Amino acid sequence: MNRLQYVLAMGSVLLPTPLLAQTAATGSTGAKLDRKDPNYVRCVSQVETGSLVKKRRICHTNAEWSQIDAAGSCDAEDIQGRTRQGFDPNGAGGD
């Protein structure tokens, strides 16, 4: 197998999954989703911990990103609430 055949074969195997997800969500290849549609797939790149150059691409639908954001906000509020419970504004110790 020459190099061109190899590249073409690998390209067909590594078809981007967001494209496949959008095609499955719309039901056809011709329809395009609006960026604000809950089924529109958005991808972000995150730097891998411990690496200066390696990045990971994460793709979710807008609805999934909203759920992830809501869960993160809930966790942050929970942590703040637990921190406030042990805080005495008068500076008195627990004696």
Side-chain angles (χ1 to χ4, degrees), residues 20-33 39:
L20 293 175
Q22 276 187 335
T23 302
T26 59
S28 68
T29 57
K32 293 229 177 190
L33 292 175
N39 294 323

Side-chain angles (χ1 to χ4, degrees), residues 1-2 8 11 16 27-29 33 36 39 46 59 61 64 68 81 84 86 90 93 95:
M1 179 183 284
N2 68 23
L8 292 175
S28 68
T29 57
L33 292 175
K36 296 182 180 181
N39 294 323
Q46 290 184 344
C59 300
T61 64
E64 291 170 338
I68 292 168
R84 277 191 225 113
N90 297 323
D95 296 350

